[in-house]
Amino acid sequence: MTTKIGDKKEDVLLAAKLLKEGELVAFPTETVYGLGGNALDREAAKKIYAVKGRPSDNPLIVHLSKWEDVYAVAYPTAQAKALYDAFCPGPLTMILKKLPIVPDETTGGRDTVALRFPSHPIARALIEAAGLPIAAPSANVSKHVSPTSAWHVYNDLDGKIPLILEGGDSDVGIESTIVDLTGDEPTVLRPGAITAEQIKAVLGSADYYHGEIKEALAPGMKYKHYSPKVPCYLAKREKLQSACEGLKKQGIDAVVIATEQTAKSLSSAVISLGETAKDAQHRIYGALRDAEKFGAAIIEDLSDKKEYFAAMDRIKKATGGNIL
Ligand code: AMP
Ligand code: MG
């Protein structure tokens, strides 16, 4: 199959047609690029797992264009409406009890469904043109780094899908915050650009999930994620330079990934994460993919700065406990 990349209005209409026919298309969102299929079509959902090589117990997020669309797939709640009014369209995914029409293949056999309302204009135009809820995980091969440009998607999925809609670099750059609204208290299962504090300010309570990620929670979180094809290490700021030199002595051409402030103090090869936590979220996945041109990556440990919590969640998964 040849994979077309398109950014014209007719490409969006073609994408909508392909979705209605049960095919998959990749499309831009403000978080990362998604690999979309009709959320109500079990065969389309199965194709998503096959194309990504994703374990079938890892459920998909269903993308909608407006609040009224919830009624077709889930049981709406007052909390969900309050969060919708505060943050949507935007980088927030809410878990609600599902309606029977949503197949097990989309939800990994759960009685709940994850819903998101992306703000990217192409994503919104696509959902509206297709007139369907669109199931879409990140458009990367399973376990690889999530894509934040059409080119990233092409590198992972060329020949596997008919169409990639081009919509520029993803503005937010990391996946949505996931909040589970089906338990006693709103629980943030995956950190993202919208923080638990912001959700708490709207609902009165909300916290990050602190326990071990088990079957019944966000199953995707238990898998190794966001991994570049080269070894990645975490190091404290003051150790970055010496860790890099240490790897060089072993003949490994390492690169450091660090904030702009830290980068200035280093003489090694550096990929900058920019000056703010928002910059770091926006740049981290591109940086991890760029690091694949080197022999290894050493990433600055930013856990002492609260605002880097969501970026650090991804960095910790990419480094998988390798500390220098
Ligand atoms: P991705 O599509 O790759 O961003 O991953 C979607 C994430 O949402 C995964 O970590 C899933 O485990 C999580 N998720 C999706 N649906 C549900 C659900 N019904 N209950 C809990 N977590 C979910
Ligand atoms: Mg993903």
Side-chain angles (χ1 to χ4, degrees):
M1 179 187 304
T2 35
T3 300
K4 179 187 176 192
I5 302 185
D7 64 356
K8 307 266 177 326
K9 202 169 168 207
E10 53 263 34
D11 296 310
V12 176
L13 296 178
L14 171 61
K17 180 170 171 283
L18 287 165
L19 289 173
K20 284 194 260 192
E21 290 167 354
E23 296 301 328
L24 308 185
V25 294
F27 62 97
T29 86
E30 71 281 15
T31 59
V32 301
Y33 274 64
L35 174 63
N38 177 356
L40 304 181
D41 174 353
R42 51 182 91 237
E43 295 308 319
K46 278 193 207 162
K47 273 189 206 168
I48 293 178
Y49 290 101
V51 164
K52 278 184 64 96
R54 177 172 170 122
S56 61
D57 69 342
N58 189 357
L60 308 173
I61 294 175
V62 174
H63 293 67
L64 307 172
S65 80
K66 56 189 180 309
W67 173 254
E68 286 68 32
D69 298 347
V70 174
Y71 294 83
V73 289
Y75 293 98
T77 66
Q79 286 186 329
K81 180 63 165 65
L83 292 180
Y84 177 87
D85 288 340
F87 303 115
C88 299
L92 180 70
T93 295
M94 299 183 248
I95 295 177
L96 293 176
K97 290 277 178 208
K98 82 171 183 87
L99 290 177
I101 194 172
V102 184
D104 281 348
E105 284 76 3
T106 297
T107 63
R110 268 142 232 287
D111 62 357
T112 56
V113 62
L115 301 178
R116 186 166 107 73
F117 307 84
S119 65
H120 194 295
I122 294 179
R124 295 176 62 74
L126 177 62
I127 300 165
E128 273 167 26
L132 293 169
I134 299 179
S138 50
N140 53 288
V141 167
S142 189
K143 301 189 183 69
H144 193 214
V145 180
S146 300
T148 53
S149 72
W151 182 239
H152 292 164
V153 180
Y154 188 79
N155 277 331
D156 274 24
L157 301 183
D158 177 29
K160 295 184 176 169
I161 52 172
L163 178 62
I164 301 169
L165 293 178
E166 159 72 75
D169 282 354
S170 295
D171 191 21
V172 175
I174 59 169
E175 297 84 349
S176 57
T177 305
I178 300 181
V179 61
D180 184 358
L181 299 175
T182 65
D184 295 338
E185 294 275 302
T187 305
V188 175
L189 301 180
R190 177 170 74 186
I194 294 169
T195 63
E197 292 73 28
Q198 284 174 284
I199 293 171
K200 191 173 175 182
V202 176
L203 299 183
S205 72
D207 200 359
Y208 289 107
Y209 181 72
H210 295 293
E212 199 186 323
I213 294 288
K214 291 192 282 290
E215 226 4 64
L217 288 157
M221 307 306 283
K222 74 184 182 217
Y223 294 110
K224 189 163 161 57
H225 264 72
Y226 324 122
S227 319
K229 292 171 183 154
V230 291
C232 281
Y233 304 95
L234 190 67
K236 296 253 181 250
R237 210 157 293 134
E238 57 280 8
K239 285 195 178 165
L240 289 168
Q241 184 76 38
S242 62
C244 195
E245 283 160 13
L247 288 179
K248 288 245 159 80
K249 273 188 200 138
Q250 297 172 44
I252 299 165
D253 177 27
V255 65
V256 171
I257 299 177
T259 60
E260 184 64 30
Q261 298 85 317
T262 303
K264 279 185 197 142
S265 68
L266 301 172
S267 59
S268 49
V270 193
I271 300 172
S272 173
L273 289 177
E275 290 178 2
T276 64
K278 209 171 160 203
D279 291 342
Q281 292 176 8
H282 176 69
R283 293 185 187 198
I284 184 61
Y285 286 143
L288 291 173
R289 282 184 183 248
D290 287 345
E292 293 178 336
K293 295 173 200 133
F294 294 81
I298 308 168
I299 313 177
E300 178 177 3
D301 185 352
L302 295 158
S303 16
D304 56 342
K305 297 185 175 158
K306 193 168 157 259
E307 66 275 23
Y308 285 89
F309 184 65
M312 272 311 295
D313 171 74
R314 294 353 184 241
I315 290 171
K316 281 186 190 155
K317 289 212 164 77
T319 53
N322 297 329
I323 298 172
L324 286 180

